[in-house]
Amino acid sequence: MLHVMLDVDGVVVKGRPADGMPWATDLERDLGVVPQRLQSEFFAPYWGEIIVGRRGLHEALTACLPKLSPTLSVDAFIDYWFSMDARIDEDVLAQCEELRSKGIAVSLATNQEHLRAKYLMEDLGLGEHVDGIFYSSQVGARKPDHAFFEAAALGCGMAPEALILVDDTEANVAAAIEAGWKAVHWTEGLRLTDCLSEFST
């Protein structure tokens, strides 16, 4: 029996709902936050700890957002970010349902912090289409670190050789294989059933 682990961003979720562009494309126009400054004031100093659960997103934004936009609230910024990074590939979800109808478990395996993981599963409804989620802030390690794959395998209770990562980042695919998983590098035009056919014979 196989258990498919899907990456989220780039596989299931692909940018802005309207056009698939990166979520921060119009950030300066819409909220007055300059993306380059967001990178230097927020992502560079804080994201490494946030993504593995050592610092909260809300806490970090409270510390730096006043430098970027003094009148913008943390909640308003998070709402904008999450809603602008929420274009679901409905065809991929349909493929998930096809696999699950055949008795193959499908979970998400993703680098996320706690608030967006909750948003993905509940607000976007991904939880209705998969059997679970394993994410970096939850397990305390991020892909491509070996500890992420070890924790995900332990969490789902399956041997590494029964797990298949589907990911659009080649480094994550290579790390999964090194950890004893099977893995597929996801590119546009692939289908999950075709990707898995070589492993299910």
Side-chain angles (χ1 to χ4, degrees):
M1 187 63 69
L2 300 174
H3 191 135
V4 178
M5 296 278 191
L6 294 181
D7 182 37
V8 172
D9 295 298
V11 177
V12 182
V13 176
K14 300 176 180 178
R16 299 194 302 191
D19 55 17
M21 294 292 288
W23 73 270
T25 298
D26 294 319
L27 182 61
E28 185 173 3
R29 183 198 70 186
D30 295 342
L31 297 184
V33 176
V34 179
Q36 292 83 354
R37 289 202 64 210
L38 182 66
Q39 175 63 34
S40 62
E41 297 286 347
F42 170 65
F43 282 106
Y46 295 113
W47 192 246
E49 290 190 325
I50 291 170
I51 202 65
V52 293
R54 291 198 292 265
R55 185 187 290 267
L57 176 63
H58 208 282
E59 171 200 349
L61 285 170
T62 298
C64 70
L65 197 57
K67 305 174 190 176
L68 302 172
S69 181
T71 61
L72 180 63
S73 74
V74 170
D75 287 337
F77 178 83
I78 292 174
D79 288 345
Y80 178 89
W81 177 359
F82 290 1
S83 65
M84 284 293 180
D85 203 7
R87 186 181 196 183
I88 296 174
D89 190 324
E90 298 292 347
D91 186 51
V92 171
L93 288 191
Q95 294 172 49
C96 291
E97 296 292 357
E98 181 180 354
L99 293 181
R100 295 174 78 204
S101 72
K102 297 176 180 178
I104 299 173
V106 179
S107 295
L108 304 177
T110 175
N111 290 337
Q112 302 291 337
E113 58 78 44
H114 297 297
L115 296 180
R116 187 161 185 257
K118 184 175 184 292
Y119 178 86
L120 291 168
M121 294 295 278
E122 298 180 7
D123 296 73
L124 287 189
L126 296 185
E128 300 174 10
H129 301 277
V130 297
D131 297 291
I133 183 172
F134 301 93
Y135 64 96
S136 56
S137 290
Q138 173 195 58
V139 305
R142 64 183 299 177
K143 296 180 294 183
D145 293 346
H146 181 83
F148 178 93
F149 299 101
E150 188 176 57
L154 184 64
C156 71
M158 297 187 72
E161 57 267 23
L163 303 176
I164 303 175
L165 178 70
V166 178
D167 200 301
D168 67 323
T169 300
E170 291 188 17
N172 296 338
V173 171
I177 293 171
E178 187 175 336
W181 294 32
K182 300 174 176 68
V184 175
H185 181 222
W186 179 261
T187 57
E188 289 298 323
L190 289 179
R191 294 189 58 81
L192 293 177
T193 50
D194 294 336
C195 291
L196 306 187
S197 61
E198 62 181 288
F199 301 128
S200 57
T201 55

